[in-house]
Amino acid sequence: MAQAQTGGDPDTPRFEARAYAALFELRVTRANGSIVTGLEADDFAVYEEGRRRPIAAFEERNRVPVCLALLVDSGNNMSRDGLSTAKQLIFDLVHRLDPQDEVLVATYAKEVHYLSELTRDRRKLTEALTNLAVGGRSGKLARLGSLFGSNAYTGYAVDETLLKMGQCRADNRFLLVFSAGFGNIGQATLDHLERAGVRFFGVGVYNRLGDAFNLGGDQKVRRRIEKRTGGIHYSSNYILEQVQDVAMALKHHYRVAYLPGDLAKDLVRRRVEFQLPDHPDWTLHWARVVQRETGAKSGF
């Protein structure tokens, strides 16, 4: 909405701009995890409290600068194979990103050990990976230990790393966590991620015994956090075949602004849903764009 202002030179119109739009970031994936590009505004439908709302602005963004923190669970339920896969994933992924992208690498159990600070230097990141131990437990012992829980505290590691991510130059910020347990995460973890505007991507190590004994509570919370932050979940069984898909998910998204209904109601508390009417087999991942205190603009 724009209102004309009077006064001054009568031949020079002035306007007071008032934007009433809710801004979201969306990613679209196929069943195999690959990112869908080339969509238009007409491909999307947005609903607020069950009622369809008009899209006010739409943009597809490619090769955006990113800030990425990689956390690797080194607790007692991580196998040698799991750690080895994480190491190869990180090596392949950081070399698929752009030179201006910032990356941090850390392992965690009860404490977080930063193998690198936020850096654009690929040489430093490669050197940091030499300190990512791949000893671990054997697969059998790791699965047995996971029955009694992990000693890795993902929630604490996320909180500590979010503080470091306050130094990120890029507005597009991600945490990619490689874990067999995702222990100690909950509502506080979600609140902190949403407040920081950080997307939570998970790489899960399959835990057959934990699932059989219904010990997957943390996995359920993990799924909720991924959904609420617009993140994507991957399986460690296939992740090395999907590295390019992960890189694409970090670098590509759609920005959609829609016109909300009742302007007197808090925008954050509204129930919003996005759909792709012509592609029900694709998956939408969305989250609200947070405008940071640094003054970064969240517009188009």
Side-chain angles (χ1 to χ4, degrees), residues 5 10 29 49 52 111 146-147 191 196 204 213 220 283 293:
Q5 298 287 302
T29 55
E49 305 295 350
R52 188 162 181 172
E111 297 180 352
S146 68
L147 281 174
D191 291 344
F213 284 82
K220 295 177 182 177
T283 302
E293 297 179 358

Side-chain angles (χ1 to χ4, degrees), residues 71-78 83 106-114 132 149-158 160-161 177-179 181-185:
L71 297 180
V72 179
D73 176 353
S74 58
N76 61 14
N77 61 356
M78 182 60 71
L83 288 172
T107 62
Y108 69 96
K110 289 185 178 179
E111 297 180 352
V112 187
H113 299 280
Y114 293 99
L132 178 55
S150 171
N151 67 343
Y153 296 101
T154 304
Y156 295 147
V158 169
E160 186 173 327
T161 303
V177 181
F178 195 105
S179 176
F182 294 92
N184 187 242
I185 57 176

Side-chain angles (χ1 to χ4, degrees), residues 2-3 8 17 19 52 57 65 100 104-105 114-115 121 145-146 153 165 168 193 197 226-227 243 245 256 279:
Q3 297 180 341
R52 188 162 181 172
Q100 72 269 26
L104 174 153
V105 181
Y114 293 99
L115 307 184
D121 190 329
S146 68
Y153 296 101
M165 295 185 75
C168 290
L193 287 162
E226 287 165 350
K227 181 177 180 180
V243 177
D245 295 332
V256 179
H279 301 281

Side-chain angles (χ1 to χ4, degrees), residues 153-219:
Y153 296 101
T154 304
Y156 295 147
V158 169
D159 286 347
E160 186 173 327
T161 303
L162 286 176
L163 295 176
K164 287 187 173 289
M165 295 185 75
Q167 304 170 16
C168 290
R169 297 181 180 92
D171 286 333
N172 301 286
R173 304 177 183 188
F174 301 87
L175 266 171
L176 192 154
V177 181
F178 195 105
S179 176
F182 294 92
N184 187 242
I185 57 176
Q187 183 61 44
T189 308
L190 174 58
D191 291 344
H192 299 162
L193 287 162
E194 288 187 321
R195 192 175 303 127
V198 173
R199 311 297 178 230
F200 185 97
F201 282 36
V203 181
V205 176
Y206 183 53
N207 185 351
R208 183 190 305 173
L209 290 176
D211 291 343
F213 284 82
N214 197 28
L215 300 177
D218 288 334
Q219 299 286 351

Side-chain angles (χ1 to χ4, degrees), residues 65-71 89-106 114-122 124-126 128-129 161 164-165 167-170 172 174 176 250-251:
V66 302
C67 178
L68 172 64
L70 294 143
L71 297 180
L89 164 68
I90 295 171
F91 180 85
D92 290 349
L93 182 59
V94 298
H95 285 89
R96 291 175 187 264
L97 299 179
D98 292 327
Q100 72 269 26
D101 295 330
E102 303 167 281
V103 182
L104 174 153
V105 181
Y114 293 99
L115 307 184
S116 76
E117 297 296 322
L118 277 172
T119 181
R120 296 173 174 174
D121 190 329
R122 297 302 185 261
K124 290 183 179 180
L125 290 169
T126 300
L129 287 178
T161 303
K164 287 187 173 289
M165 295 185 75
Q167 304 170 16
C168 290
R169 297 181 180 92
N172 301 286
F174 301 87
L176 192 154
L250 299 175
K251 302 292 291 182

Side-chain angles (χ1 to χ4, degrees), residues 23 26 38-44 55-61 253-258 300:
L23 180 60
L26 295 84
L39 297 177
E40 304 289 345
D42 291 344
D43 292 311
F44 294 87
I55 291 177
F58 178 89
E59 181 184 10
E60 181 177 11
R61 293 190 167 188
H253 65 262
Y254 300 95
R255 280 240 172 146
V256 179
Y258 80 91
F300 283 79

